[in-house]
Amino acid sequence: MAEPGGSVHFLCFGPLPGEPAGRAAAEEAMRADLDRLHASGRRLDGILVLGTSGGCGEARRIAEELQTRAFEARPDEDPPVIVPVPGPGDRGATPVGPLVAHGLTTGWPQISPGLWRGQLADDIVRPLETQVFPRLAEWHTAETRAIGGWTRGLLPGDGAVRWRSHGRTIGLVSVNTVFRMVADDADETLAGCSLEQLAQAVGQDFPAWARGNDLTLLCAGRTGALPALPADAGASLWAVAGAGETGREWVLTPGQADRVHLLLRADATADRAALLDTAARRTVRPVGAARPAVAAPQVPAPRRSEEPYEAKPLLDAFYRHAATARMALVLVSGPDDDGTIDTDELNRRLADAAFGAMPEALPPLHETWAAARNRLSPQQLRQHLGALCLPADREVRTALRLLRAPWSCVYDFTGSNRLAIAARSVTPQTVSCVNAVEEPPTGNRPVFDVVAMHGRPDDEGSLPDFSDAASGPATDARGLWFRRLRAQLLTQPVLFMSLSPAGPALWETLRAVGWSRASWTSPGSS
């Protein structure tokens, strides 16, 4: 079934939008991607339905129409298989009995050994099939019965199959991660799967089965806890889900108002295995790469010889400008390492959460922020932003000393509340804390402004703004502050302060304020 070279294409879609217009747009986006795939001379091998919005009807119709469309485009080949996988929305309206509910939640440690030994088929498995996931289980069984070589698992929605082509093997595992979430208000920590469940799904020891594949794709309706795996099994295992929390180990379908699918290409060659998100044109990290590993001893790299310079003239010039009280400070990170993260680490965390994996080349923060605003809820964003902040009663001596210097203005790009905490210990008549997202510049005042250029992460009102000010409106409050900073760069001395001269945040700040010449490119950039 796989293409020459060992490539397999999967179209994965999660729960459909509730609005008819959004549902139609999402369906059209799937058809467009399928047509582009055919136009490139490639075929679709599998349609993975990663949870539905309930009822299965619309999802089933769309999956079957895509299957027919693919077959009509390439009638001489097998049509793509359809694999429906249960998600939270597929739980039936009929409540399970109290003994089943207790066994799958509080009593799980006691009943799980017997379940995996096959001793609770009537007590647990049958209620899951007939009461919790009746429609999805019926659909899953009907589709997978037609797949040659399909191994049926113990639970509804569980199973596996292998594709073999040109000496390469690609494994697909369908796993029900929500079978313990039998109540509408079920704790999300119940989602996940175990090695025993995976062994039932593939019909043998799961790590051994995964080692027998060049690439393994595990699909689920919802993200959840994955079991610990040997390094050689996790290195070629990828996990994709239709709903849940973004995380290092899972790839998540978009879940947008008009797009709910991914088109994934699984490549297994003699040299490597890789999973590619074709729309984003990025490779996705396997489960093993997302987990901590024992670090190899680090051999210090030889340090590049520093360019010779004379420190005294530079310091003399700095003190001379500082004494005039006309120098502005642009604080990118720091002023000291106090346990909070910086915006470079925020960028990495948001990229991991928004894209489901770390891109090979980390985009600038403003691009990651735009994706995160679309993919994450305000509560999730605030959780990440909270790592920038210090407790309100924390001592910030270095920041306090910094504010007591005679600056004309401080532009704070750290995204932290550090300077706001320090400003409380400074005479109010000398320092004014400004939220650049909400407060525009005013006329000359007998105080110097400490301007939070991305807004205040601890503000309970509006979210901070890490968007690209260079391409944003120049007339809103934040745009006006950037115009003022660019003007000061032409007329006044300005000091840029960063804990690392090679940090991407520093060079992104220089670009945002207009220093985009070749001489100001980031170290290591192409």
Side-chain angles (χ1 to χ4, degrees):
M1 299 177 69
E3 293 180 355
S7 292
V8 175
H9 288 87
F10 297 104
L11 193 153
C12 315
F13 68 91
L16 299 168
E19 295 294 327
R23 194 159 54 246
E27 187 176 350
E28 179 56 35
M30 291 186 234
R31 287 195 292 263
D33 270 1
L34 179 58
D35 291 345
R36 278 190 288 270
L37 181 69
H38 291 148
S40 70
R42 299 177 180 273
R43 69 166 175 265
L44 185 66
D45 296 274
I47 300 168
L48 310 182
V49 184
L50 308 180
T52 76
S53 303
C56 299
E58 278 296 288
R60 189 167 190 169
R61 177 189 62 80
I62 291 172
E64 291 174 350
E65 287 183 3
L66 292 171
Q67 185 185 53
T68 301
R69 192 182 191 91
F71 181 68
E72 291 174 347
R74 302 174 74 97
D76 296 332
E77 299 170 348
D78 292 331
V81 301
I82 298 175
V83 181
V85 192
D90 296 301
R91 292 172 295 187
T94 304
V96 295
L99 293 179
V100 175
H102 173 78
L104 292 173
T105 54
T106 309
W108 179 246
Q110 288 74 42
I111 74 149
S112 57
L115 174 65
W116 303 130
R117 288 195 297 266
Q119 298 171 350
L120 299 177
D122 293 334
D123 301 305
I124 299 295
V125 178
R126 184 166 293 123
L128 288 174
E129 291 178 341
T130 60
Q131 294 175 247
V132 183
F133 304 104
R135 295 185 180 181
L136 199 290
E138 180 274 327
W139 182 23
H140 175 91
T141 301
E143 295 291 351
T144 56
R145 187 183 291 123
I147 301 175
W150 181 266
T151 299
R152 181 175 178 176
L154 177 67
L155 301 181
D158 285 4
V161 69
R162 277 173 164 159
W163 277 275
R164 290 185 174 88
S165 178
H166 295 263
R168 310 258 68 88
T169 302
I170 294 176
L172 173 68
V173 185
S174 164
V175 64
N176 186 338
T177 57
V178 296
F179 72 95
R180 295 181 60 201
M181 300 174 66
V182 291
D184 290 335
D185 58 350
D187 191 331
E188 295 175 348
T189 59
L190 296 176
C193 60
S194 64
L195 277 178
E196 294 87 351
Q197 182 182 357
L198 293 173
Q200 294 279 354
V202 303
Q204 65 179 86
D205 176 73
F206 179 75
W209 188 86
R211 290 190 198 99
N213 303 329
D214 295 285
L215 182 151
T216 301
L217 181 64
L218 185 149
C219 57
R222 192 195 188 285
T223 61
L226 292 175
L229 293 170
D232 56 350
S236 58
L237 172 68
W238 281 261
V240 58
E245 293 78 31
T246 55
R248 294 179 180 275
E249 298 179 338
W250 289 91
V251 186
L252 206 59
T253 54
Q256 298 171 1
D258 57 355
R259 187 179 180 87
V260 295
H261 79 280
L262 292 171
L263 183 58
L264 301 177
R265 187 177 79 219
D267 290 331
T269 66
D271 299 326
R272 68 186 183 101
L275 188 69
L276 177 71
D277 177 352
T278 60
R281 297 182 179 180
R282 63 182 178 89
T283 56
V284 180
R285 292 189 310 174
V287 169
R291 295 184 167 184
V294 178
Q298 296 293 314
V299 179
R303 294 191 62 179
R304 186 172 57 184
S305 59
E306 296 180 354
E307 296 181 9
Y309 68 95
E310 293 186 29
K312 188 175 185 305
L314 294 174
L315 288 173
D316 288 344
F318 167 75
Y319 287 122
R320 184 173 64 255
H321 286 303
T324 66
R326 296 183 63 250
M327 179 182 288
L329 171 67
V330 176
L331 184 63
V332 178
S333 62
D336 54 7
D337 187 356
D338 51 20
T340 60
I341 67 170
D342 59 13
T343 52
D344 287 332
E345 177 61 22
L346 175 69
N347 190 15
R348 285 186 283 270
R349 294 186 183 187
L350 288 177
D352 193 48
F355 303 127
M358 195 73 69
E360 287 187 345
L362 189 67
L365 177 57
H366 68 265
E367 293 182 12
T368 305
W369 178 252
R373 288 294 301 267
N374 288 330
R375 296 290 304 276
L376 306 182
S377 67
Q379 292 78 12
Q380 289 174 310
L381 288 172
R382 289 195 183 279
Q383 186 175 13
H384 286 289
L385 294 171
L388 294 168
C389 297
L390 290 168
D393 57 353
R394 178 75 171 268
E395 286 190 5
V396 284
R397 296 178 182 177
T398 305
L400 183 57
R401 287 196 295 269
L402 195 69
L403 291 188
R404 285 174 173 161
W407 309 108
S408 64
C409 183
V410 176
Y411 296 93
D412 182 6
F413 284 84
T414 65
S416 174
N417 63 344
R418 187 182 295 107
L419 294 187
I421 294 174
R424 298 177 192 147
S425 301
V426 180
T427 306
Q429 289 75 22
T430 60
V431 176
S432 172
C433 291
V434 180
N435 183 341
V437 175
E438 299 178 351
E439 307 169 56
T442 58
N444 293 328
R445 294 183 294 182
V447 297
F448 79 79
D449 293 316
V450 177
V451 188
M453 296 298 284
H454 300 307
R456 294 277 298 278
D458 57 347
D459 192 338
E460 294 299 326
S462 61
L463 279 170
D465 186 359
F466 293 91
S467 62
D468 185 13
S471 59
T475 55
D476 65 2
R478 188 164 177 258
L480 292 172
W481 279 110
F482 270 90
R483 287 180 59 184
R484 174 170 158 173
L485 173 55
R486 294 186 189 109
Q488 285 184 302
L489 285 169
L490 299 175
T491 59
Q492 296 175 224
V494 178
L495 175 69
F496 286 79
M497 181 180 292
S498 172
L499 289 180
S500 170
L506 172 60
W507 300 91
E508 177 64 12
T509 303
L510 292 172
R511 182 203 61 80
V513 299
W515 284 5
S516 57
R517 298 170 297 186
S519 58
W520 291 103
T521 55
S522 171
S525 63
S526 57

